[in-house]
Short mmCIF file of all heavy atoms in Angstrom, two decimals:
data_model
loop_
_atom_site.label_atom_id
_atom_site.label_comp_id
_atom_site.label_asym_id
_atom_site.label_seq_id
_atom_site.Cartn_x
_atom_site.Cartn_y
_atom_site.Cartn_z
N THR A 74 45.76 13.08 37.19
CA THR A 74 45.63 11.63 37.01
C THR A 74 45.71 11.22 35.55
O THR A 74 46.42 10.27 35.19
CB THR A 74 44.31 11.14 37.61
OG1 THR A 74 44.29 11.45 39.01
CG2 THR A 74 44.17 9.64 37.43
N PHE A 75 45.02 11.93 34.69
CA PHE A 75 44.91 11.46 33.30
C PHE A 75 46.10 11.83 32.44
O PHE A 75 46.12 11.53 31.24
CB PHE A 75 43.59 11.95 32.70
CG PHE A 75 42.39 11.30 33.35
CD1 PHE A 75 41.67 11.97 34.32
CD2 PHE A 75 42.04 10.00 33.04
CE1 PHE A 75 40.59 11.38 34.95
CE2 PHE A 75 40.95 9.40 33.65
CZ PHE A 75 40.23 10.08 34.62
N SER A 76 47.09 12.48 33.04
CA SER A 76 48.36 12.69 32.32
C SER A 76 49.37 11.60 32.67
O SER A 76 50.49 11.62 32.16
CB SER A 76 48.95 14.05 32.65
OG SER A 76 49.35 14.14 34.00
N LEU A 77 48.97 10.65 33.53
CA LEU A 77 49.86 9.54 33.85
C LEU A 77 50.11 8.69 32.60
O LEU A 77 49.19 8.43 31.83
CB LEU A 77 49.25 8.64 34.93
CG LEU A 77 49.41 9.07 36.38
CD1 LEU A 77 48.50 8.24 37.27
CD2 LEU A 77 50.85 8.91 36.83
N PRO A 78 51.33 8.23 32.41
CA PRO A 78 51.57 7.28 31.31
C PRO A 78 50.90 5.94 31.62
O PRO A 78 50.60 5.63 32.78
CB PRO A 78 53.09 7.15 31.29
CG PRO A 78 53.54 7.52 32.66
CD PRO A 78 52.56 8.55 33.16
N ASP A 79 50.67 5.17 30.58
CA ASP A 79 50.00 3.88 30.77
C ASP A 79 50.85 2.90 31.57
O ASP A 79 50.32 2.06 32.30
CB ASP A 79 49.64 3.27 29.42
CG ASP A 79 48.57 4.06 28.70
OD1 ASP A 79 47.74 4.69 29.39
OD2 ASP A 79 48.58 4.07 27.46
N VAL A 80 52.17 2.98 31.44
CA VAL A 80 53.06 2.04 32.13
C VAL A 80 54.27 2.79 32.68
O VAL A 80 54.61 3.87 32.22
CB VAL A 80 53.54 0.90 31.19
CG1 VAL A 80 52.37 0.03 30.75
CG2 VAL A 80 54.29 1.45 29.98
N LYS A 81 54.88 2.20 33.68
CA LYS A 81 56.14 2.69 34.26
C LYS A 81 56.14 4.19 34.53
O LYS A 81 56.95 4.96 33.98
CB LYS A 81 57.31 2.31 33.36
CG LYS A 81 57.49 0.80 33.17
CD LYS A 81 58.67 0.49 32.27
CE LYS A 81 58.93 -1.01 32.16
NZ LYS A 81 57.85 -1.76 31.49
N PRO A 82 55.26 4.65 35.42
CA PRO A 82 55.18 6.10 35.67
C PRO A 82 56.43 6.69 36.32
O PRO A 82 56.61 7.91 36.33
CB PRO A 82 53.97 6.22 36.60
CG PRO A 82 53.87 4.89 37.27
CD PRO A 82 54.30 3.90 36.22
N TRP A 83 57.32 5.83 36.86
CA TRP A 83 58.53 6.36 37.50
C TRP A 83 59.42 7.11 36.51
O TRP A 83 60.12 8.04 36.89
CB TRP A 83 59.31 5.23 38.18
CG TRP A 83 59.36 3.94 37.44
CD1 TRP A 83 60.29 3.55 36.53
CD2 TRP A 83 58.42 2.86 37.54
NE1 TRP A 83 60.00 2.29 36.05
CE2 TRP A 83 58.86 1.83 36.66
CE3 TRP A 83 57.26 2.64 38.29
CZ2 TRP A 83 58.18 0.62 36.52
CZ3 TRP A 83 56.59 1.44 38.15
CH2 TRP A 83 57.05 0.44 37.27
N TYR A 84 59.38 6.71 35.23
CA TYR A 84 60.11 7.47 34.22
C TYR A 84 59.55 8.90 34.10
O TYR A 84 60.29 9.87 33.95
CB TYR A 84 60.02 6.80 32.85
CG TYR A 84 60.67 5.44 32.73
CD1 TYR A 84 60.16 4.48 31.87
CD2 TYR A 84 61.81 5.11 33.45
CE1 TYR A 84 60.76 3.23 31.72
CE2 TYR A 84 62.41 3.87 33.33
CZ TYR A 84 61.88 2.94 32.46
OH TYR A 84 62.48 1.71 32.33
N HIS A 85 58.23 8.98 34.15
CA HIS A 85 57.56 10.27 34.02
C HIS A 85 57.91 11.19 35.17
O HIS A 85 58.20 12.39 34.97
CB HIS A 85 56.04 10.04 33.96
CG HIS A 85 55.22 11.27 33.78
ND1 HIS A 85 55.35 12.11 32.69
CD2 HIS A 85 54.25 11.83 34.57
CE1 HIS A 85 54.50 13.11 32.80
NE2 HIS A 85 53.82 12.97 33.93
N PHE A 86 57.91 10.65 36.39
CA PHE A 86 58.21 11.48 37.55
C PHE A 86 59.68 11.89 37.57
O PHE A 86 60.02 13.00 38.02
CB PHE A 86 57.84 10.74 38.83
CG PHE A 86 56.37 10.40 38.92
CD1 PHE A 86 55.94 9.11 39.17
CD2 PHE A 86 55.42 11.38 38.71
CE1 PHE A 86 54.59 8.79 39.23
CE2 PHE A 86 54.06 11.08 38.77
CZ PHE A 86 53.65 9.78 39.03
N GLU A 87 60.54 11.03 37.07
CA GLU A 87 61.96 11.40 36.93
C GLU A 87 62.10 12.59 35.98
O GLU A 87 62.84 13.54 36.26
CB GLU A 87 62.76 10.20 36.42
CG GLU A 87 64.23 10.50 36.18
CD GLU A 87 64.94 9.37 35.45
OE1 GLU A 87 64.30 8.70 34.61
OE2 GLU A 87 66.14 9.16 35.72
N PHE A 100 52.54 15.82 42.36
CA PHE A 100 51.69 15.29 41.29
C PHE A 100 50.37 14.92 41.94
O PHE A 100 50.33 14.16 42.90
CB PHE A 100 52.35 14.07 40.64
CG PHE A 100 51.70 13.60 39.38
CD1 PHE A 100 52.12 14.08 38.14
CD2 PHE A 100 50.66 12.69 39.41
CE1 PHE A 100 51.52 13.66 36.97
CE2 PHE A 100 50.06 12.25 38.25
CZ PHE A 100 50.49 12.74 37.02
N TRP A 109 56.66 13.20 45.04
CA TRP A 109 57.62 12.24 44.49
C TRP A 109 59.03 12.73 44.77
O TRP A 109 59.41 13.82 44.34
CB TRP A 109 57.39 12.04 43.00
CG TRP A 109 56.21 11.14 42.76
CD1 TRP A 109 54.90 11.51 42.68
CD2 TRP A 109 56.24 9.73 42.64
NE1 TRP A 109 54.11 10.40 42.49
CE2 TRP A 109 54.91 9.30 42.46
CE3 TRP A 109 57.25 8.77 42.64
CZ2 TRP A 109 54.57 7.95 42.31
CZ3 TRP A 109 56.93 7.44 42.48
CH2 TRP A 109 55.60 7.04 42.32
N ALA A 241 51.58 -6.50 43.17
CA ALA A 241 52.57 -5.51 42.71
C ALA A 241 52.04 -4.74 41.51
O ALA A 241 52.26 -3.53 41.38
CB ALA A 241 53.88 -6.21 42.37
N ALA A 242 51.34 -5.42 40.62
CA ALA A 242 50.79 -4.75 39.44
C ALA A 242 49.70 -3.76 39.82
O ALA A 242 49.55 -2.71 39.19
CB ALA A 242 50.25 -5.79 38.46
N ASN A 244 49.52 -2.03 42.52
CA ASN A 244 49.97 -0.99 43.44
C ASN A 244 50.79 0.09 42.75
O ASN A 244 51.62 0.74 43.38
CB ASN A 244 50.80 -1.62 44.57
CG ASN A 244 50.77 -0.76 45.82
OD1 ASN A 244 49.84 -0.01 46.05
ND2 ASN A 244 51.80 -0.88 46.63
N VAL A 245 50.56 0.28 41.46
CA VAL A 245 51.25 1.31 40.69
C VAL A 245 50.25 2.41 40.36
O VAL A 245 49.13 2.12 39.91
CB VAL A 245 51.84 0.73 39.40
CG1 VAL A 245 52.48 1.82 38.56
CG2 VAL A 245 52.85 -0.35 39.73
N PRO A 246 50.58 3.69 40.60
CA PRO A 246 49.64 4.77 40.27
C PRO A 246 49.18 4.65 38.83
O PRO A 246 49.98 4.43 37.92
CB PRO A 246 50.48 6.04 40.49
CG PRO A 246 51.53 5.64 41.46
CD PRO A 246 51.85 4.21 41.15
N GLY A 247 47.87 4.79 38.62
CA GLY A 247 47.36 4.60 37.27
C GLY A 247 46.05 5.34 37.03
O GLY A 247 45.38 5.78 37.96
N LYS A 248 45.69 5.43 35.76
CA LYS A 248 44.46 6.11 35.36
C LYS A 248 43.40 5.12 34.89
O LYS A 248 42.38 5.53 34.33
CB LYS A 248 44.78 7.12 34.25
CG LYS A 248 45.41 6.50 33.00
CD LYS A 248 45.87 7.58 32.04
CE LYS A 248 46.57 6.97 30.84
NZ LYS A 248 47.14 7.99 29.94
N GLU A 249 43.67 3.83 35.06
CA GLU A 249 42.72 2.80 34.69
C GLU A 249 42.22 2.11 35.95
O GLU A 249 42.83 2.17 37.01
CB GLU A 249 43.40 1.75 33.76
CG GLU A 249 44.08 2.34 32.53
CD GLU A 249 43.10 2.90 31.52
OE1 GLU A 249 41.91 2.52 31.59
OE2 GLU A 249 43.52 3.71 30.67
N MET A 252 43.02 1.07 39.78
CA MET A 252 43.75 2.13 40.47
C MET A 252 43.07 3.49 40.35
O MET A 252 43.38 4.41 41.10
CB MET A 252 45.19 2.21 39.94
CG MET A 252 46.08 1.07 40.39
SD MET A 252 46.14 0.85 42.18
CE MET A 252 46.96 2.35 42.70
N ILE A 395 60.81 -0.74 42.61
CA ILE A 395 61.27 0.38 41.79
C ILE A 395 60.77 1.73 42.28
O ILE A 395 61.36 2.76 41.99
CB ILE A 395 60.87 0.14 40.32
CG1 ILE A 395 61.69 1.03 39.38
CG2 ILE A 395 59.38 0.33 40.12
CD1 ILE A 395 63.17 0.77 39.45
N ILE A 396 59.70 1.77 43.07
CA ILE A 396 59.28 3.04 43.68
C ILE A 396 59.33 2.94 45.21
O ILE A 396 58.58 3.61 45.92
CB ILE A 396 57.89 3.50 43.19
CG1 ILE A 396 56.83 2.43 43.37
CG2 ILE A 396 57.97 3.95 41.75
CD1 ILE A 396 55.42 2.90 43.00
N ASN A 423 61.20 7.63 44.52
CA ASN A 423 61.36 7.09 43.17
C ASN A 423 62.76 6.46 43.07
O ASN A 423 63.73 7.12 42.73
CB ASN A 423 61.19 8.19 42.13
CG ASN A 423 61.19 7.67 40.71
OD1 ASN A 423 61.49 6.50 40.46
ND2 ASN A 423 60.86 8.55 39.77
N TRP A 425 63.97 4.43 40.96
CA TRP A 425 64.55 4.49 39.61
C TRP A 425 65.34 5.80 39.44
O TRP A 425 66.50 5.79 39.02
CB TRP A 425 63.47 4.38 38.54
CG TRP A 425 64.01 4.68 37.19
CD1 TRP A 425 63.99 5.87 36.52
CD2 TRP A 425 64.76 3.78 36.35
NE1 TRP A 425 64.63 5.78 35.31
CE2 TRP A 425 65.13 4.50 35.19
CE3 TRP A 425 65.14 2.44 36.46
CZ2 TRP A 425 65.85 3.93 34.15
CZ3 TRP A 425 65.87 1.87 35.42
CH2 TRP A 425 66.22 2.61 34.29
N PHE A 510 66.12 -2.77 29.08
CA PHE A 510 64.98 -1.94 29.50
C PHE A 510 63.66 -2.69 29.44
O PHE A 510 62.62 -2.12 29.79
CB PHE A 510 64.90 -0.69 28.62
CG PHE A 510 66.07 0.24 28.80
CD1 PHE A 510 67.12 0.21 27.90
CD2 PHE A 510 66.12 1.12 29.88
CE1 PHE A 510 68.21 1.06 28.06
CE2 PHE A 510 67.21 1.96 30.05
CZ PHE A 510 68.26 1.94 29.15
N ASN A 511 63.67 -3.94 29.01
CA ASN A 511 62.43 -4.69 28.83
C ASN A 511 62.04 -5.36 30.15
O ASN A 511 62.34 -6.53 30.39
CB ASN A 511 62.61 -5.74 27.73
CG ASN A 511 61.29 -6.39 27.36
OD1 ASN A 511 60.21 -5.84 27.62
ND2 ASN A 511 61.36 -7.57 26.75
N TYR A 512 61.36 -4.58 30.98
CA TYR A 512 60.95 -5.02 32.31
C TYR A 512 59.43 -4.98 32.44
O TYR A 512 58.74 -4.29 31.69
CB TYR A 512 61.58 -4.12 33.38
CG TYR A 512 62.92 -4.61 33.87
CD1 TYR A 512 64.03 -4.63 33.02
CD2 TYR A 512 63.10 -5.06 35.17
CE1 TYR A 512 65.27 -5.07 33.46
CE2 TYR A 512 64.33 -5.51 35.62
CZ TYR A 512 65.41 -5.51 34.77
OH TYR A 512 66.63 -5.98 35.21
N THR A 513 58.92 -5.74 33.41
CA THR A 513 57.49 -5.73 33.68
C THR A 513 57.07 -4.36 34.24
O THR A 513 57.90 -3.51 34.54
CB THR A 513 57.14 -6.83 34.70
OG1 THR A 513 57.90 -6.63 35.90
CG2 THR A 513 57.45 -8.21 34.12
N ASN A 514 55.76 -4.18 34.40
CA ASN A 514 55.22 -2.87 34.78
C ASN A 514 54.85 -2.74 36.24
O ASN A 514 54.41 -1.68 36.68
CB ASN A 514 53.98 -2.56 33.93
CG ASN A 514 54.31 -2.51 32.45
OD1 ASN A 514 55.32 -1.96 32.04
ND2 ASN A 514 53.46 -3.12 31.63
N GLY A 515 54.98 -3.83 37.02
CA GLY A 515 54.51 -3.80 38.39
C GLY A 515 55.44 -3.08 39.35
O GLY A 515 56.58 -2.73 39.02
N LEU A 516 54.93 -2.88 40.56
CA LEU A 516 55.70 -2.22 41.62
C LEU A 516 56.99 -2.97 41.89
O LEU A 516 58.04 -2.37 42.08
CB LEU A 516 54.84 -2.17 42.89
CG LEU A 516 55.52 -1.67 44.16
CD1 LEU A 516 55.76 -0.17 44.06
CD2 LEU A 516 54.66 -1.97 45.38
N TRP A 518 59.27 -4.95 39.91
CA TRP A 518 59.44 -5.33 38.51
C TRP A 518 60.57 -6.34 38.35
O TRP A 518 61.41 -6.50 39.23
CB TRP A 518 59.63 -4.11 37.64
CG TRP A 518 60.92 -3.34 37.72
CD1 TRP A 518 61.88 -3.41 38.68
CD2 TRP A 518 61.38 -2.38 36.78
NE1 TRP A 518 62.91 -2.56 38.40
CE2 TRP A 518 62.63 -1.90 37.24
CE3 TRP A 518 60.88 -1.88 35.59
CZ2 TRP A 518 63.36 -0.94 36.54
CZ3 TRP A 518 61.62 -0.92 34.91
CH2 TRP A 518 62.83 -0.46 35.38
N GLU A 521 61.43 -9.00 31.63
CA GLU A 521 60.58 -9.88 30.83
C GLU A 521 61.44 -11.09 30.42
O GLU A 521 62.67 -11.00 30.38
CB GLU A 521 60.06 -9.15 29.60
CG GLU A 521 59.09 -8.01 29.91
CD GLU A 521 57.70 -8.48 30.29
OE1 GLU A 521 57.51 -9.71 30.43
OE2 GLU A 521 56.82 -7.62 30.47
#
Side-chain angles (χ1 to χ4, degrees):
T74 300
F75 293 100
S76 67
L77 277 168
D79 292 330
V80 295
K81 299 180 175 66
W83 39 90
Y84 295 148
H85 182 59
F86 299 127
E87 178 190 33
F100 191 91
W109 282 87
N244 206 26
V245 177
K248 59 188 177 185
E249 306 291 341
M252 287 306 293
I395 198 61
I396 54 175
N423 187 351
W425 170 265
F510 294 98
N511 189 20
Y512 270 66
T513 58
N514 299 318
L516 173 72
W518 72 344
E521 293 284 6

